[in-house]
Amino acid sequence: MAKAGCPYASKCGGCDYQGIDYIEQLRIKQDHIDGLLGSFCKPQKIIGMKDPLYYRCKATVEYTHLKDGSYISGVYEKNSHRIVKVDECLITDKHANDIAMTIRALLKSFKIKTYNEDTGYGLLRHVQIRVGKNTGEVMVILVVADPIFPSKNNFVKALRARHPEITTVVLNVNDKHTTMVLGERNIPIYGKGFIFDTLLGMKFKISPGSFYQVNPVQTEVLYKTAVDYAGLTGNETVLDAYSGTGTIGLIAAGSARDVISVELNENAVKDAIANAKANGVGNIRFYRADATEFMTSHEIGKVDVVFMDPPRTGSTPEFIDAVAKLKPSKVIYVSCDPETLKRDLGIFAKKGYKTRRIQPVDMFGFTKHVEVCCLLEQLKSTNSPEKEVYYESGNGQGFQRKCIYRSQ
Ligand code: SAH
């Protein structure tokens, strides 16, 4: 099994497990999850990658020119803005690696100056390459300090002559003094300015800045697990919270009555709407909101199944409390940070949700990160089925719910 003796590992710092056999990496991750989450229920065996190399479909590449007129490209050294020269990243898609090297050569022949963060002088700040693994479409994003890119048409022509797989090239204008990679303005200089990829037979739009899982092969495994856990029959109302570009909700929509999707990032929501249209999905509603704010200040109605896929910081006690009040029979929690997952499963447990399944999925080989999909079910008390009768009183400012009867 792959060990990937990456020559840049000590300086780059992107991979914690370089030099460790892949099977051993999986064992380390399994032990970590078993130790952390085993008190909720016994975690399933981690689903590893068939091929743990060259899996990342997104690369952010840094360039700089040296005094002798040569150019280097690579990544920032850990915790610094010094560039480590990298000719090939062993976990990045091969097309992306090759394109990064071609751009390095073209910068020299087109005499394009790289941006200097200290002086603010120069044009090219970063390059992002995004690959639709299943469609073969490729987007190159040239992040520039100024929208005027000399000889841009010839640059694109030379780039595409070497890489006909590139379907779009975008100038992203980032003229701010910032450590954020992308600026707000995108100018397509070739193609449509976005690409599509497919997951489980559905099309998903990827535009500059929009979130898309970096390992599409394992993302399919993850989403399939999540949707299988939901056990949808076609009659359910489903909530997809922290929904990004709508992926999980859109995949679930075919097996549910309707889907409510909530996401904070405006561009992600725009892409999610485009994704619903591209796939002809009509039974989904999108809300752009903070998930906690949405849950605590909107009358949502009956929800049968909740999918939630929060960022590393996890969810909030208020969100979990609001979910529990909706009494969905199942919650499917997808997490990229087992520590915050543990915290949140603990809160769910106090609200009467038992963790029934814990499925780790390795999406990030050679790094310490691990994704986990959990199935939680609402506990039903067996000897005294809980009966609650509510009345709803309108007071002009929404409804107040009060419990007026509960059987013992
Ligand atoms: N389910 C999606 C996205 C998961 S990533 C997928 O699998 O592709 C987590 C998402 O949560 C991101 O899209 C991020 O923008 C969103 N997010 C972060 N904080 C949020 C908040 N407070 N409320 C709603 N969404 C939030």
Side-chain angles (χ1 to χ4, degrees):
M1 250 305 168
K3 263 195 181 168
C6 171
Y8 314 107
S10 60
K11 281 194 164 178
C12 158
C15 294
D16 311 280
Y17 294 165
Q18 283 291 343
I20 300 178
D21 183 85
Y22 185 59
I23 298 292
E24 176 62 9
Q25 293 176 34
L26 293 179
R27 200 195 53 73
I28 295 170
K29 291 183 185 186
Q30 183 83 54
D31 283 356
H32 181 55
I33 296 297
D34 288 355
L36 207 58
L37 305 176
S39 62
F40 294 102
C41 74
K42 187 175 171 10
Q44 308 286 306
K45 186 167 178 246
I46 187 168
I47 304 175
M49 298 182 217
K50 289 205 177 81
D51 181 0
L53 297 178
Y54 305 110
Y55 61 86
R56 279 186 66 97
C57 65
K58 175 180 173 185
T60 303
V61 190
E62 312 303 334
Y63 291 84
T64 191
H65 59 269
L66 305 177
K67 286 208 176 81
D68 65 2
S70 65
Y71 284 71
I72 61 166
S73 61
V75 294
Y76 285 136
E77 200 172 318
K78 206 173 190 181
N79 304 325
S80 97
H81 270 205
R82 267 193 309 275
I83 295 175
V84 184
K85 179 173 171 282
V86 174
D87 292 348
E88 186 192 38
C89 168
L90 292 173
I91 63 167
T92 295
D93 177 87
K94 284 189 176 172
H95 288 288
N97 273 314
D98 291 348
I99 291 168
M101 289 297 279
T102 299
I103 292 175
R104 190 197 280 180
L106 289 181
L107 292 179
K108 186 174 161 77
S109 48
F110 281 75
K111 297 191 175 58
I112 290 165
K113 293 279 179 255
T114 53
Y115 182 79
N116 180 318
E117 285 187 348
D118 299 326
T119 61
Y121 175 73
L123 181 63
L124 186 81
R125 295 186 72 148
H126 321 270
V127 172
Q128 251 185 16
I129 303 158
R130 303 190 70 170
V131 180
K133 288 257 192 194
N134 293 320
T135 56
E137 296 180 19
V138 177
M139 171 162 62
V140 173
I141 305 162
L142 304 167
V143 185
V144 285
D146 187 300
I148 299 165
F149 192 98
S151 314
K152 62 174 188 272
N153 293 341
N154 288 338
F155 187 90
V156 168
K157 217 166 147 189
L159 185 58
R160 287 204 67 255
R162 300 270 286 278
H163 300 283
E165 69 273 22
I166 296 174
T167 48
T168 190
V169 181
V170 179
L171 282 187
N172 172 276
V173 185
N174 185 352
D175 51 11
K176 301 226 166 71
H177 188 72
T178 172
T179 51
M180 299 284 283
V181 174
L182 296 181
E184 276 165 20
R185 226 170 115 201
N186 291 302
I187 309 168
I189 55 172
Y190 176 79
K192 293 189 180 122
F194 54 85
I195 56 171
F196 276 103
D197 196 21
T198 63
L199 289 172
L200 299 174
M202 297 185 85
K203 288 170 77 173
F204 293 102
K205 184 179 169 190
I206 304 169
S207 30
S210 69
F211 179 86
Y212 187 73
Q213 293 281 4
V214 295
N215 183 340
V217 176
Q218 291 298 88
T219 300
E220 288 194 326
V221 173
L222 180 75
Y223 289 171
K224 194 168 175 317
T225 305
V227 173
D228 284 353
Y229 279 175
L232 299 170
T233 63
N235 293 321
E236 296 83 359
T237 293
V238 169
L239 176 76
D240 179 18
Y242 309 91
S243 56
T245 54
T247 38
I248 297 175
L250 287 165
I251 289 166
S255 321
R257 190 203 326 250
D258 52 5
V259 180
I260 304 163
S261 166
V262 57
E263 159 65 41
L264 188 60
N265 181 292
E266 192 174 349
N267 289 329
V269 177
K270 282 185 186 157
D271 279 356
I273 294 167
N275 288 334
K277 288 183 183 158
N279 293 287
V281 177
N283 59 342
I284 187 162
R285 277 175 286 156
F286 296 99
Y287 293 89
R288 193 201 78 79
D290 169 76
T292 301
E293 203 269 332
F294 178 78
M295 292 296 286
T296 50
S297 57
H298 288 69
E299 193 68 34
I300 294 167
K302 184 172 171 289
V303 168
D304 304 292
V305 174
V306 172
F307 290 99
M308 55 189 287
D309 184 4
R312 291 221 163 105
T313 45
S315 190
T316 65
E318 295 80 11
F319 177 92
I320 295 170
D321 185 55
V323 166
K325 285 192 176 130
L326 290 179
K327 298 185 182 301
S329 58
K330 289 176 182 168
V331 175
I332 318 311
Y333 192 136
V334 177
S335 160
C336 52
D337 185 333
E339 308 274 346
T340 54
L341 173 65
K342 178 183 177 179
R343 179 199 68 203
D344 290 350
L345 293 183
I347 305 176
F348 267 115
K350 290 197 186 116
K351 304 277 171 195
Y353 281 82
K354 165 98 181 111
T355 303
R356 300 276 185 208
R357 287 265 190 287
I358 297 175
Q359 178 63 70
V361 178
D362 190 29
M363 313 263 285
F364 314 106
F366 295 94
T367 79
K368 62 179 182 221
H369 300 292
V370 57
E371 196 86 8
V372 182
C373 180
C374 298
L375 166 66
L376 288 75
E377 282 177 351
Q378 189 190 20
L379 278 181
K380 295 194 178 65
S381 103
T382 42
N383 49 1
S384 59
E386 198 180 74
K387 267 193 219 155
E388 291 185 359
V389 177
Y390 291 98
Y391 74 88
E392 293 188 340
S393 66
N395 62 359
Q397 297 174 334
F399 285 97
Q400 288 183 339
R401 302 186 113 208
K402 279 192 185 165
C403 180
I404 53 168
Y405 170 78
R406 174 180 292 183
S407 73
Q408 289 309 304

